[in-house]
Amino acid sequence: MDSTALMGAVPRPPKTAEPADGADSPAETPKPRRGDRVVQLRAHQTDAGYKSVYSELTRPSIWSRIRTGLRFSGELLITFGLVVLLFAGYEIWGKSAIVDAHQGELSEQLAQAWEPEPDPTVAGPSASPSAPAKPAVHGTPIAGLYIPKFEKEWIVVEGVGQKDIRYAPGHYPDSALPGQVGNFSVAGHRNRATFWRLDELRDGDPIIVEGRNDWYVYQVTESLIVKPSQVEVVAPVPGEPGKKPTKRMLTLTTCNPKFDNYQRLIIHAELTRTQPKAEGRPAELGT
């Protein structure tokens, strides 16, 4: 018997054997962090051996693959929808803002071109007032176009190429000029900044063209839809190419239907009166 026990002392607890060098010590269970979900894994015996009762949660199945595919497809459709919305926003507001900005520049150019010409009696003998006017250069402004029904106005440029009519309606170079006998023909894009609402025009609606010295008031006489190959709509006598004109006509052309171009929307109008700009604006334009 230990002598310390005889003296009433408490015996020391037996020492536990320390693990030998290289032996694995029992791993401490990590404490879960706040917000973590702790799932206790319990194993049970099957014919194939032991497995976790929760192992099905991590094993891919047909339905899990279907859910993954649906989730990916949904995200792809949402992304595509956002792209479409952005494009539509550009078509409605972005392009209109760009066209309006260019229209402002064209208006300034036209005002400069229409500045009063010098008096030939003061300019000296070198002046040649009887010299014929040079043809307008493509892309340069030549007239103003107003549709009171829409409260819209544009500067018309020379030419109907894609570069010419990108920001403005364009004049067919071989057609008559404003107020002349023949067919003053103008093409424009079917966007919200230009000829978007052209299909709303009806017979009798006024269309005003502004020249250097005069206002030309036209009235709509016909609206029709044709194929792109039917170029006779811009002939001097619309629909009758080769015939000598006797009327002063206006024709507006644009794509049809909206957002497509496999047809053409045509508006024909006839000149009803000419008003000198010295007398002010036409009554159709208001004050």
Side-chain angles (χ1 to χ4, degrees), residues 214-225:
D214 298 294
W215 296 96
Y216 304 98
V217 181
Y218 296 84
Q219 282 189 341
V220 175
T221 58
E222 187 180 20
S223 174
L224 64 155
I225 295 174

Side-chain angles (χ1 to χ4, degrees), residues 2-287:
D2 190 352
S3 60
T4 56
L6 298 176
M7 299 174 62
V10 178
R12 296 178 181 179
K15 295 183 179 180
T16 58
E18 296 182 357
D21 293 342
D24 293 335
S25 60
E28 295 183 358
T29 303
K31 295 182 179 180
R33 294 174 297 179
R34 181 177 297 179
D36 287 349
R37 180 186 175 188
V38 180
V39 179
Q40 297 293 336
L41 298 182
R42 294 183 295 104
H44 69 283
Q45 188 175 14
T46 65
D47 294 340
Y50 284 92
K51 72 173 184 177
S52 169
V53 296
Y54 294 100
S55 61
E56 297 294 336
L57 298 176
T58 57
R59 180 180 301 171
S61 63
I62 295 177
W63 289 111
S64 66
R65 291 188 176 97
I66 292 176
R67 286 194 298 270
T68 301
L70 291 175
R71 183 165 53 249
F72 175 78
S73 300
E75 293 174 355
L76 187 63
L77 289 174
I78 291 173
T79 303
F80 178 75
L82 290 175
V83 172
V84 171
L85 286 176
L86 290 174
F87 177 76
Y90 167 75
E91 285 290 323
I92 296 173
W93 295 291
K95 185 174 291 186
S96 296
I98 295 173
V99 170
D100 290 343
H102 282 271
Q103 280 285 306
E105 296 177 3
L106 292 171
S107 180
E108 294 178 1
Q109 295 176 22
L110 188 60
Q112 293 176 2
W114 283 352
E115 289 181 353
E117 297 179 352
D119 189 343
T121 60
V122 179
S126 60
S128 55
S130 60
K134 296 181 180 180
V137 178
H138 282 216
T140 59
I142 63 169
L145 178 65
Y146 301 76
I147 301 183
K149 185 173 185 176
F150 308 149
E151 298 182 350
K152 296 286 290 184
E153 60 184 77
W154 304 272
I155 301 299
V156 179
V157 300
E158 183 69 13
V160 293
Q162 287 298 323
K163 185 177 180 180
D164 302 323
I165 65 174
R166 187 177 182 183
Y167 304 117
H171 168 242
Y172 285 83
D174 296 332
S175 68
L177 291 174
Q180 290 183 348
V181 174
N183 188 10
F184 174 55
S185 302
V186 177
H189 283 303
R190 193 73 180 276
N191 56 43
R192 291 186 179 274
T194 318
F195 286 166
W196 181 259
R197 299 175 58 191
L198 214 60
D199 59 316
E200 299 177 24
L201 288 175
R202 299 292 180 265
D203 291 358
D205 286 339
I207 301 176
I208 318 298
V209 177
E210 181 184 6
R212 176 190 290 271
N213 302 311
D214 298 294
W215 296 96
Y216 304 98
V217 181
Y218 296 84
Q219 282 189 341
V220 175
T221 58
E222 187 180 20
S223 174
L224 64 155
I225 295 174
V226 301
K227 297 178 181 178
S229 59
Q230 294 179 252
V231 296
E232 64 271 14
V233 294
V234 296
V237 179
E240 301 182 44
K243 187 175 181 179
K244 185 177 180 180
T246 58
K247 296 181 179 180
R248 304 171 193 269
M249 302 290 297
L250 164 69
T251 296
L252 304 180
T253 71
T254 191
C255 296
N256 191 76
K258 295 174 179 176
F259 299 115
D260 215 323
N261 62 355
Y262 61 86
Q263 295 174 330
R264 295 292 182 269
L265 173 62
I266 310 298
I267 300 294
H268 290 310
E270 186 174 342
L271 184 69
T272 57
R273 78 174 194 277
T274 300
Q275 178 178 319
K277 295 176 73 172
E279 297 179 5
R281 291 162 61 90
E284 291 83 356
L285 294 178
T287 56

